[in-house]
Amino acid sequence: MRKNIKVFKFGGASVKDAEAIRNVANILKGYKKEQLLIVVSAMGKSTNALEKVVHAFFDKKEDSKDILKEIQNQHIAISKELIVENAQLEKEISKIIAPVNRLLQKESDRGYDFIYDQIVSLGELLSTKIVSAFLSKEKLTNHWLDARKIIKTDNTYREGNVNWESTQRNISRNVNALLKKSGFVITQGFIGSSEEKATITLGREGSDFTAAIFSYCLDAESMSIWKDVPGILTGDPRLFKKVEKIDRLSYKEAIEMTYYGAKVIHPKTIKPLQNKSIPMYVKSFVDPGGEGTFIGADVDAFYPPVVVVEREQVMLQISTKDFSFVAEHHLSFIFKLFTKYRTKVNMMQNMAISFSVCVTIKDLERLTKLINELKETFNVVVEKDLELITIRHYHKSVIEQMKKHKIVMLEERIRHTIQMVMKDVPKMERK
Ligand code: ASP
Ligand code: MG
């Protein structure tokens, strides 16, 4: 049965500094009477900053402890701006950071991904502590919930796969009861705990997914993501001058868009919501009264062309060494390697003696290992600095516009979608 519970998710931009956090509190004042579970991301770019700590720890070029100290100071500065008497909060900030400080003292025999999660997860723990303390100061009663006690995954660090059964059990047992008390429940996006009970993350930008997990397991009435844009747009406003807001989207359209790399919502977010027909809203924290975008079932809309640009693409042209055809057993072998190195194929094309794929450089080290292993069996030509452009509901004119000053390396057209892997025409050769 659907309950009167709402799930909100506030992303990094909405809590990036003291002023932004005050704005979040103002929005929440309008929901005092609701049963609300609030998922919060790390502040601003602090996840990127924490990644620098990880790099420094492994490269040993810089002192990882100094970078962490700097991050700690930034958080303390914001907490001071929000709460003058912040000794208690400062203590809690130090307490959250202490285990990572200890971890940085000595070399570890655990792998990169494990260490990464222990460090990078600090962002959400800190942001939620600060937001929670400030809400309390503003007389907004709330309960800080450690998401690691609730969201359970396997041991795939940096990309934990949710164990839905135990997560559901934890939510039914603990979160429902918390929500029944007066006040909001505030928790972290992006993090959970592994089978061996260590902190794990769900993959970059995973806080939307966290909100969807809670929405699903709580049978929420709706889920809202608060962003710095008025809703879902027809293109990235940083890349295109003319973009429009889409008022209504079907789950299907939303899952397609995010699958092709639209950055507005994490691609894993839609499925749990669709499975329980939970409506989702993308709303603006700058204009909280605005309509935003509604995502749900049975939306029968006429969609304008939507353009998704994915940078940092690489094309691998994989060919047999002995001029034999690329046959099924080769493909099966190739895909096993893609699975082993957790590399998602964005586009592919099969030719007589070669097979071309386009992938995103997410983790250069992992990709290099994949290419080296492929090279043991095949010839591999690597083409870098490419862009993958996907246009949903394309028109000829949009395609022409996107192709300007570009060389198309790979193209595929299906009914509602065209995808093109492209390279810039060098400036000197442009007409
Ligand atoms: N803080 C994490 C990230 O930046 C998760 C999120 O923001 O969704 O990737
Ligand atoms: Mg973030």
Side-chain angles (χ1 to χ4, degrees):
M1 242 253 304
R2 192 60 48 84
K3 311 224 180 65
N4 289 329
I5 296 166
K6 289 191 170 76
V7 174
F8 280 6
K9 181 257 173 173
F10 286 96
S14 69
V15 290
K16 70 174 198 291
D17 52 26
E19 197 191 326
I21 294 173
R22 282 195 194 100
N23 179 51
V24 167
N26 279 334
I27 293 175
L28 292 173
K29 279 177 187 159
Y31 295 88
K32 266 186 185 168
K33 295 204 174 66
E34 309 260 5
Q35 289 196 63
L36 197 62
L37 180 119
I38 305 160
V39 173
V40 182
S41 294
M43 291 163 134
K45 300 266 173 276
S46 52
T47 305
N48 293 354
L50 287 160
E51 282 187 340
K52 292 209 181 92
V53 177
V54 183
H55 297 157
F57 179 66
F58 280 95
D59 296 349
K60 300 189 184 79
K61 278 190 205 125
E62 275 172 283
D63 191 350
S64 56
K65 288 189 280 314
D66 289 346
I67 309 175
L68 183 61
K69 189 77 201 157
E70 175 71 29
I71 296 170
Q72 178 168 1
N73 290 341
Q74 283 161 0
H75 282 84
I76 289 175
I78 292 173
S79 77
K80 269 196 185 130
E81 255 188 76
L82 290 166
I83 305 168
V84 184
E85 304 276 334
N86 80 333
Q88 176 61 24
L89 180 55
E90 224 176 286
K91 224 194 258 166
E92 293 202 46
I93 291 175
S94 305
K95 215 167 109 190
I96 288 171
I97 293 183
V100 175
N101 260 326
R102 279 198 296 277
L103 187 133
L104 297 177
Q105 300 294 346
K106 51 181 193 301
E107 284 194 23
S108 167
D109 50 6
R110 297 295 309 243
Y112 183 91
D113 291 353
F114 176 88
I115 299 290
Y116 177 102
D117 280 358
Q118 309 317 304
I119 297 174
V120 165
S121 53
L122 286 185
E124 273 69 13
L125 291 167
L126 293 173
S127 69
T128 49
K129 272 286 172 200
I130 295 172
V131 171
S132 165
F134 182 66
L135 293 182
S136 301
K137 181 184 165 263
E138 294 291 287
K139 309 253 172 328
L140 291 164
T141 315
N142 67 89
H143 312 276
W144 185 87
L145 173 70
D146 189 335
R148 296 170 297 182
K149 296 213 166 95
I150 306 292
I151 310 269
K152 298 287 169 186
T153 70
D154 62 2
N155 288 337
T156 315
Y157 290 95
R158 292 181 69 190
E159 218 163 330
N161 294 300
V162 174
N163 178 334
W164 286 91
E165 250 170 64
S166 49
T167 301
Q168 175 72 69
R169 209 177 315 123
N170 293 334
I171 289 182
S172 305
R173 264 192 213 153
N174 305 316
V175 185
N176 270 311
L178 258 189
L179 280 161
K180 286 213 176 79
K181 294 188 185 172
S182 79
F184 305 139
V185 175
I186 167 158
T187 195
Q188 308 77 43
F190 183 50
I191 68 172
S193 59
S194 63
E195 267 159 17
E196 52 174 338
K197 299 192 172 58
T199 305
I200 198 163
T201 69
L202 306 176
R204 285 301 309 259
E205 307 302 328
S207 297
D208 296 346
F209 182 42
T210 302
I213 299 168
F214 276 105
S215 301
Y216 178 92
C217 296
L218 286 166
D219 282 308
E221 172 190 290
S222 67
M223 166 172 152
S224 303
I225 295 188
W226 295 84
K227 294 190 72 83
D228 54 359
V229 283
I232 294 187
L233 306 172
T234 51
D236 185 338
R238 287 166 298 188
L239 303 179
F240 300 104
K241 273 193 227 122
K242 253 180 65 190
V243 290
E244 280 170 61
K245 176 173 84 76
I246 305 172
D247 298 334
R248 293 171 67 78
L249 267 182
S250 64
Y251 291 123
K252 180 163 184 291
E253 190 56 36
I255 208 163
E256 292 286 348
M257 275 174 69
T258 54
Y259 171 80
Y260 289 125
K263 300 280 182 296
V264 264
I265 342 169
H266 190 278
K268 284 185 182 169
T269 313
I270 306 296
K271 180 181 183 286
L273 302 177
Q274 189 277 342
N275 287 176
K276 284 204 176 169
S277 305
I278 299 169
M280 174 175 155
Y281 299 90
V282 176
K283 291 178 71 99
S284 160
F285 61 76
V286 188
D287 172 25
E291 278 220 351
T293 297
F294 164 87
I295 300 168
D298 308 324
V299 174
D300 200 13
F302 172 79
Y303 298 112
V306 174
V307 183
V308 180
V309 180
E310 275 214 273
R311 299 241 160 96
E312 300 207 27
Q313 301 294 303
V314 188
M315 205 167 97
L316 308 181
Q317 199 185 45
I318 306 161
S319 51
T320 52
K321 284 186 175 167
D322 61 356
F323 225 68
S324 61
F325 290 127
V326 177
E328 282 65 22
H329 68 275
H330 295 122
L331 294 177
S332 146
F333 176 81
I334 292 169
F335 276 102
K336 277 201 188 102
L337 288 184
F338 279 105
T339 310
K340 176 174 168 192
Y341 290 103
R342 297 186 354 230
T343 301
K344 181 180 159 240
V345 173
N346 296 327
M347 222 176 130
M348 56 188 151
Q349 206 160 65
N350 201 5
M351 281 154 281
I353 57 162
S354 77
F355 179 65
S356 294
V357 295
C358 171
V359 300
T360 310
I361 313 179
K362 254 193 169 171
D363 183 326
L364 189 59
E365 208 179 310
R366 218 188 282 160
L367 184 63
T368 311
K369 280 189 196 150
L370 165 68
I371 293 170
N372 289 339
E373 201 166 332
L374 280 167
K375 279 184 176 164
E376 288 170 18
T377 315
F378 300 96
N379 292 323
V380 183
V381 179
V382 182
E383 182 94 42
K384 288 191 211 132
D385 299 321
L386 306 177
E387 240 175 29
L388 171 65
I389 308 252
T390 306
I391 313 171
R392 296 273 297 156
H393 316 290
Y394 53 86
H395 294 329
K396 206 170 152 210
S397 64
V398 187
I399 299 176
E400 289 313 315
Q401 198 188 325
M402 296 313 304
K403 280 186 175 172
K404 207 170 162 202
H405 301 317
K406 304 275 181 191
I407 303 164
V408 178
M409 316 279 296
L410 213 59
E411 180 175 321
E412 189 175 73
R413 252 180 236 232
I414 47 171
R415 195 154 158 247
H416 294 296
T417 312
I418 179 167
Q419 286 201 287
M420 299 176 287
V421 178
M422 310 214 266
K423 189 164 122 173
D424 284 338
V425 175
K427 282 223 167 63
M428 287 160 62
E429 291 166 30
R430 288 180 191 174
K431 283 181 227 122

